[in-house]
Amino acid sequence: MKVELMDVVTPLLVIGISKSDKFWEILTSDMATPQDNLDVTASILEYREKNGRSVHKYNDGYHFINEDGETRRLDLQHHLWYLTLDGKLSLVPSLITGTAPKRVLDLGTGAGIWATDFAEEFPESEITAVDMKSINPRFHPPNITFTTANYEEDWSFPHKFDYIHSRMANSSVANWPAYIRKAFDALAPSGCLELQEFHLATSSSPTFTPSTSALANTSSLISASAAKSSQALIDISTLPALLASVGFEDVTVALEARWPSNGTWPDTNKEKELGRWNNINFVSGIGGFMAWFLPGLGWKGEDIENLVEEVKREMKDEGMQAYWPVIVVCGRKPA
């Protein structure tokens, strides 16, 4: 059974991608036959209207105009996390109760979407948003400073932080113990580190995702390529012990969840919604992942493209019940 076009179209409309947009064409070109009724339901719109965040206050002229497809995918991915965390930006207990940290570090900020939302919710906080590539959004809250830095190198921030946020660093961090140690050292006493991570390799019962499937093959190839390079994938279940070994206290797994391959097979409404969003997120990003990882194993352009197309077809198959584990781990530096 194929994913219905409505499962793909509704999330696109929510984040502001119109039917005249080229990104719309890219993401829907391989889906089912178009339907006439593409109205956005109020129930889905409510997700982004919580806390006054309907798509983005600083969206105009920034995220969806004159930006490439990857920036737009990061917007969509941010909303996927927003749904996963039930409308929260963080699961650190003090932040859930509304206590604003004075200084915040956002590692791997990407397009700065999380940092912008956080700055809106906590206008009294000072956010430093860091990424390895240049970040220069034209519109952002005044309490954010964007900077470019390689967090694999020595950190040289002028002050300590009360809260450090790290999301989706798996496959981009070469040395996780060193990364966690740097975060520990960069925190003020009683400061908190939060890791919001996913496992790039798929999980599933062999009944639903056989070892001969393109999805299973892709997972094995990416893991093998990452292990061969300096960006080995970390088993996210080891993160709590890693934080504790560095010296963090009150280490907790605040969330364990999964992102289904599509929205047709999960049992719960929440996982169906996560599946719809993850399907678009994965399909729009898998080409970039494959182009990055597979040449290291000797794969050429046409072979990579063929495998990407096979994966996209399987992502629409209800019988291929794959998912990606996600986890949120929090730890506090001793006072």
Side-chain angles (χ1 to χ4, degrees), residues 24 36 57 77 88 124 133 164 188-189 192 208 232 267 276:
W24 174 287
D36 293 330
K57 180 186 288 187
Q77 184 173 273
K88 300 179 181 67
E124 59 271 52
K133 64 181 181 180
I164 296 179
C192 292
F208 296 112
D267 295 326
R276 285 191 285 268

Side-chain angles (χ1 to χ4, degrees), residues 92 94 162-165 187 190-194 248 331-333:
V92 170
S94 60
D162 304 295
Y163 167 52
I164 296 179
H165 170 263
L187 283 167
S190 299
C192 292
L193 170 66
E194 180 174 22
F248 281 97
R332 181 181 59 82
K333 185 174 182 176

Side-chain angles (χ1 to χ4, degrees), residues 38-287:
L38 302 179
D39 293 334
V40 181
T41 63
S43 61
I44 296 179
L45 283 173
E46 285 174 1
Y47 280 121
R48 287 299 289 171
E49 290 173 351
K50 291 179 181 178
N51 302 316
R53 292 196 297 267
S54 181
V55 184
H56 238 294
K57 180 186 288 187
Y58 297 90
N59 174 26
D60 292 344
Y62 169 32
H63 292 308
F64 302 119
I65 298 177
N66 298 323
E67 292 290 333
D68 60 24
E70 177 62 9
T71 297
R72 302 180 189 205
R73 189 188 69 82
L74 290 174
D75 266 335
L76 189 151
Q77 184 173 273
H78 174 64
H79 188 73
L80 178 57
W81 273 105
Y82 184 82
L83 298 175
T84 305
L85 303 182
D86 294 324
K88 300 179 181 67
L89 296 171
S90 168
L91 296 184
V92 170
S94 60
L95 294 177
I96 293 175
T97 60
T99 302
K102 182 179 180 181
R103 292 193 175 99
V104 176
L105 177 62
D106 182 26
L107 292 168
T109 193
I113 308 161
W114 180 91
T116 298
D117 270 358
F118 192 92
E120 290 180 347
E121 188 164 329
F122 297 98
E124 59 271 52
S125 297
E126 301 171 8
I127 298 99
T128 301
V130 178
D131 203 275
M132 293 185 182
K133 64 181 181 180
S134 178
I135 315 149
N136 190 28
R138 287 180 292 164
F139 301 96
H140 61 79
N143 52 328
I144 302 179
T145 299
F146 289 97
T147 184
T148 303
N150 184 348
Y151 43 69
E152 297 283 22
E153 299 175 352
D154 292 337
W155 296 7
S156 57
F157 299 107
H159 50 250
K160 301 292 186 179
F161 297 94
D162 304 295
Y163 167 52
I164 296 179
H165 170 263
S166 173
R167 174 185 284 182
M168 305 288 279
N170 208 352
S171 83
S172 65
V173 171
N175 187 331
W176 272 92
Y179 183 70
I180 300 301
R181 165 57 67 181
K182 290 173 184 176
F184 184 89
D185 292 341
L187 283 167
S190 299
C192 292
L193 170 66
E194 180 174 22
L195 305 176
Q196 299 178 359
E197 282 302 328
F198 83 120
H199 203 320
L200 189 55
T202 56
S203 297
S204 174
S205 163
T207 304
F208 296 112
T209 309
S211 59
T212 55
S213 69
L215 274 171
N217 187 29
T218 298
S219 294
S220 298
L221 289 169
I222 289 177
S223 296
S225 178
K228 188 177 179 180
S229 70
S230 61
Q231 267 70 41
L233 302 179
I234 190 171
D235 179 351
I236 58 176
S237 68
T238 66
L239 289 174
L242 183 55
L243 264 68
S245 70
V246 169
F248 281 97
E249 298 179 344
D250 301 329
V251 177
T252 59
V253 176
L255 176 87
E256 287 183 286
R258 61 182 189 174
W259 288 348
S261 53
N262 58 59
T264 60
W265 62 264
D267 295 326
T268 68
N269 289 333
K270 180 175 179 177
E271 283 205 336
K272 288 179 185 295
E273 186 73 4
L274 291 175
R276 285 191 285 268
W277 284 87
N278 185 51
N279 184 274
I280 306 171
N281 176 58
F282 187 88
V283 167
S284 61
I286 186 60

